[in-house]
Amino acid sequence: MSIETKDVEHVAKLARLNLTDEERDLFTEQLNAILQYAEKLNELDTDGVEPTTHVLRLSNVMREDVVLDSLTQEQVFRNAPEEEDGQFKVPAVLE
Amino acid sequence: MTLFDLRLQDIHNQLRNKELSVTDLVGEAFAKIGERDERIGAFLTLNEESARAEAARMDDKLVNGEALGLLFGLPVGVKDNMITEGLRTTCASHFLSNYDPIYDGTVISKLKQAESILIGKLNMDEFAMGGSNENSSFHPVRNPWDLNRVPGGSSGGSAAAVAAGEAYFALGSDTGGSIRQPASYCGVVGLKPTYGLVSRYGLVAFASSLDQIGPLTKNVEDAAYVLQAIAGYDPKDSTSAQVDIPNYASALTGDVTGLRIAVPKEYLEGVDPQIKASVMEALRLLESLGAVWEEVSLPHTEYAVAAYYLLASSEASSNLSRFDGIRYGVRADHAGSLIDLYHESRSQGFGPEVKRRIMLGTYALSSGYYDAYYLKAQKVRTLIKRDFDQTFEKYDVIVGPTTPTTAFALGSQVDDPLTMYLNDILTIPVSLAGMPALTVPCGFADGLPIGLQFIGKAFDESTILRLAHAFEANSDHHKRRPSL
């Protein structure tokens, strides 16, 4: 499998990244090299092998539903780039 | 001998006996930072004012003869991906260059509970992605043994600060080797605990199924001592393990008679001949102390790097999707629409290595490629873990080199991501399997430190600490200091 420029552009869009022409060309080349290296995994027969999603054998972790203090509005907005009237401000979404 | 050469336990005792004040101790750390850090670049943010105020409070406490915490008065530096309330936390990324956390991560709370003093936040590869610490958005860290070489990554600041005598100990995080590889390059002790032993709550996530916090110290005893303070179940981390925490220091008996060591032949292939020679010498020493060793095979070792980079990048692309420039972080100016704002903020905020991994991960998880890449890598991960499980049926510890080479020159691999990824070939398999592993200095090649890696069974930190401590007690590599 090899990645072409248009694939890199598509992936960048999915990842919400704008790439410069230079980055697009560089990533096309580098991702191809990395994925070509990853082809190595196909040397192994993994039929019937369970995937390891997690090294600890944990099932769902539950706790009692207890009411705790939540963050104050001041804390929530402490790092907000733009805030107005107790809301995060973003560019207009509707026309 | 300087204060920095003392064991943490000895410093603690000197404080308790009033032979030393916390103010002097903290003053010494900032004096060293002032004298050296311009050349090393280990720190991103200093916490000087609060640390000095805290030291004064602690000295009062000493006068009053109150009970003291486990790490009382000991100055610590923490990798800048651990959230510290009211102290800037950047992950060495422009994206978070203005981030002022509103809470402490669990390890930070535990350090405070143990009465350690946070002296500052340490440099790293951006979002912990990299093997050389050259991917920091701010400035690279330099190796204290040779300022033209890398300290390793991504906990390069943590390793360099300890090696340079700027911090008495440090915390780092390890995803594919990010504690062990820099510790090895800088000639200090680095411990990656079993996945789940130390809470990840308040650690900015890179690859959630792999990330683990651990100590970087000057000797094995200090590592045991720090692990004691930070290990333990945390209900705030759903992947935290509910296991009993032993007394790690009491495991350091010096007796390793009959311990069975496995040495994977794959770990000795392709490593620098001087590193191989040091490892063989270390094995002879361990043998003379009563341990026995045999060569074994971990046949899937060669597939670990490929599996790791697919998995870690996939998890990273998912974890980093939260950086959108809306709720925190640096927001791009002049974005026309909401979607432009996401694109612009992320494009301006992330550096090249982070973008590369987001791209790789997004591709590996995208429709049509998930089975071929992500799922395949998770199955290979199972095979790698089986190699370890089978070996530990017969042996107590696996021993080998930590890295295939010593620290390389700054700038020498920065344009070649694949070569850079291969530096972690000896640390990555352990990370995929979730086992604990420890590196200690075991020699020098052309003046640069070599690391010896001890890998243990899950939650059996005590045994690797015991064996490494016995090795250290009978060698003096860990006592050498860089001339700065």
Side-chain angles (χ1 to χ4, degrees):
Chain A
M1 254 179 281
S2 80
I3 295 196
E4 292 169 31
T5 308
K6 66 171 174 38
D7 301 318
V8 168
E9 284 169 347
H10 174 65
V11 172
K13 196 174 159 192
L14 293 176
R16 301 281 184 260
L17 289 171
N18 293 335
L19 302 182
T20 62
D21 292 351
E22 200 182 47
E23 280 176 326
R24 188 193 60 202
D25 294 345
L26 184 68
F27 286 165
T28 306
E29 185 192 319
Q30 290 177 336
L31 293 183
N32 266 313
I34 295 167
L35 289 169
Q36 202 182 339
Y37 178 73
E39 294 291 326
K40 199 178 171 56
L41 298 182
N42 294 327
E43 292 168 12
L44 294 172
D45 179 3
T46 51
D47 281 354
V49 176
E50 283 290 308
T52 297
T53 46
H54 209 289
V55 289
L56 301 176
R57 301 206 180 279
L58 294 173
S59 49
N60 286 342
V61 177
M62 312 290 265
R63 66 161 173 81
E64 291 301 309
D65 185 16
V66 190
V67 179
L68 299 170
D69 289 338
S70 50
L71 299 174
T72 64
Q73 210 173 36
E74 189 253 322
Q75 287 174 314
V76 170
F77 289 115
R78 192 195 290 182
N79 286 284
E82 276 192 81
E83 177 238 332
E84 195 172 298
D85 301 333
Q87 296 168 77
F88 292 102
K89 193 173 173 186
V90 296
V93 177
L94 301 173
E95 294 291 312
Chain B
M1 189 182 260
T2 71
L3 279 176
F4 283 95
D5 289 313
L6 294 174
R7 298 175 315 148
L8 293 178
Q9 181 72 62
D10 292 333
I11 299 176
H12 183 90
N13 291 341
Q14 286 199 13
L15 290 171
R16 186 184 290 274
N17 300 334
K18 303 188 180 64
E19 293 158 29
L20 184 66
S21 75
V22 184
T23 300
D24 289 345
L25 194 63
V26 169
E28 183 68 21
F30 285 111
K32 282 282 190 302
I33 293 169
E35 177 197 315
R36 297 175 172 179
D37 208 51
E38 204 172 318
R39 282 174 288 155
I40 306 289
F43 280 88
L44 289 177
T45 305
L46 293 179
N47 191 36
E48 187 162 359
E49 204 179 318
S50 327
R52 287 185 189 276
E54 191 62 27
R57 261 198 303 280
M58 288 191 179
D59 281 328
D60 290 343
K61 199 173 166 182
L62 279 175
V63 172
N64 299 331
E66 294 170 47
L68 308 181
L70 185 66
L71 299 173
F72 179 84
L74 298 169
V76 59
V78 172
K79 186 175 182 179
D80 206 25
N81 57 352
M82 296 171 213
I83 296 291
T84 45
E85 185 180 1
L87 185 64
R88 195 175 75 127
T89 297
T90 68
C91 276
S93 179
H94 279 309
F95 216 132
L96 290 177
S97 53
N98 59 3
Y99 184 56
D100 174 19
I102 55 175
Y103 68 100
D104 277 329
T106 296
V107 286
I108 305 298
S109 305
K110 281 181 173 270
L111 288 178
K112 287 182 178 172
Q113 206 183 338
E115 299 188 287
S116 179
I117 297 185
L118 179 59
I119 55 173
K121 301 299 288 295
L122 293 160
N123 206 347
M124 54 185 285
D125 282 303
E126 184 180 7
F127 286 105
M129 297 177 193
S132 67
N133 216 125
E134 291 163 294
N135 296 322
S136 167
S137 290
F138 304 110
H139 51 81
V141 178
R142 291 170 181 274
N143 191 312
W145 292 91
D146 177 347
L147 297 177
N148 294 314
R149 289 181 186 267
V150 303
S154 64
S155 307
S158 303
V162 173
E166 297 176 340
Y168 290 78
F169 70 103
L171 294 187
S173 68
D174 191 309
T175 304
S178 290
I179 288 174
R180 291 163 285 156
Q181 185 250 30
S184 175
Y185 283 0
C186 292
V188 298
V189 172
L191 170 63
K192 182 202 91 80
T194 310
Y195 181 82
L197 184 68
V198 177
S199 171
R200 293 184 298 109
Y201 177 75
L203 173 71
V204 180
F206 160 17
S208 310
S209 79
L210 298 154
D211 298 340
Q212 185 60 201
I213 294 170
L216 292 102
T217 58
K218 287 185 297 291
N219 60 65
V220 175
E221 260 186 278
D222 286 1
Y225 196 51
V226 176
L227 182 64
Q228 200 76 52
I230 61 171
Y233 173 68
D234 179 11
K236 290 175 177 167
D237 174 359
S238 65
T239 59
S240 175
Q242 302 210 37
V243 291
D244 291 332
I245 305 301
N247 184 325
Y248 295 111
S250 71
L252 310 179
T253 58
D255 180 14
V256 297
T257 314
L259 269 187
R260 295 160 303 172
I261 298 171
V263 180
K265 67 179 170 70
E266 291 82 3
Y267 286 27
L268 297 171
E269 288 163 4
V271 303
D272 179 291
Q274 295 189 78
I275 292 180
K276 187 172 175 180
S278 287
V279 170
M280 296 317 288
E281 199 181 315
L283 287 168
R284 283 191 289 274
L285 175 59
L286 292 169
E287 202 167 38
S288 76
L289 297 175
V292 291
W293 68 271
E294 279 177 334
E295 197 168 275
V296 300
S297 175
L298 300 178
H300 297 96
T301 300
E302 64 172 302
Y303 301 98
V305 174
Y308 171 82
Y309 277 95
L310 291 173
L311 297 175
S313 301
S314 297
E315 293 184 25
S317 73
S318 169
N319 276 322
L320 294 184
S321 64
R322 69 176 62 121
F323 292 92
D324 56 8
I326 306 291
R327 292 151 301 145
Y328 51 81
V330 174
R331 175 185 286 199
D333 291 332
H334 315 303
S337 66
L338 185 61
I339 200 107
D340 283 346
L341 178 63
Y342 297 149
H343 276 261
E344 281 300 319
S345 298
R346 290 168 63 79
S347 302
Q348 292 173 20
F350 293 136
E353 182 62 25
V354 174
K355 286 181 189 165
R356 183 158 40 243
R357 299 215 198 183
I358 291 175
M359 293 288 293
L360 177 62
T362 305
Y363 182 76
L365 291 176
S366 66
S367 172
Y369 299 103
Y370 176 88
D371 285 5
Y373 290 117
Y374 185 77
L375 192 63
K376 180 80 184 180
Q378 291 289 40
K379 289 180 173 179
V380 173
R381 185 177 189 176
T382 303
L383 298 177
I384 290 165
K385 189 166 188 312
R386 268 184 209 165
D387 282 354
F388 283 109
D389 290 343
Q390 283 163 5
T391 305
F392 282 124
E393 282 171 13
K394 271 187 74 184
Y395 299 92
D396 302 301
V397 180
I398 295 171
V399 172
T402 310
T403 58
T405 66
T406 52
F408 50 91
L410 275 153
S412 64
Q413 297 186 2
V414 81
D415 296 326
D416 186 358
L418 198 52
T419 301
M420 183 85 85
Y421 296 170
L422 289 168
N423 295 325
D424 297 340
I425 198 159
L426 301 173
T427 51
I428 279 174
V430 179
S431 296
L432 289 170
M435 311 287 187
L438 173 71
T439 180
V440 300
C442 73
F444 287 81
D446 305 321
L448 297 168
I450 296 170
L452 182 66
Q453 184 172 210
F454 297 82
I455 301 164
K457 296 173 193 168
F459 302 109
D460 191 19
E461 278 75 5
S462 294
T463 303
I464 52 172
L465 287 163
R466 174 153 64 103
L467 188 60
H469 172 254
F471 170 76
E472 193 183 72
N474 290 281
S475 60
D476 53 10
H477 311 291
H478 67 290
K479 290 182 184 154
R480 273 178 67 175
R481 299 280 174 261
S483 47
L484 281 162

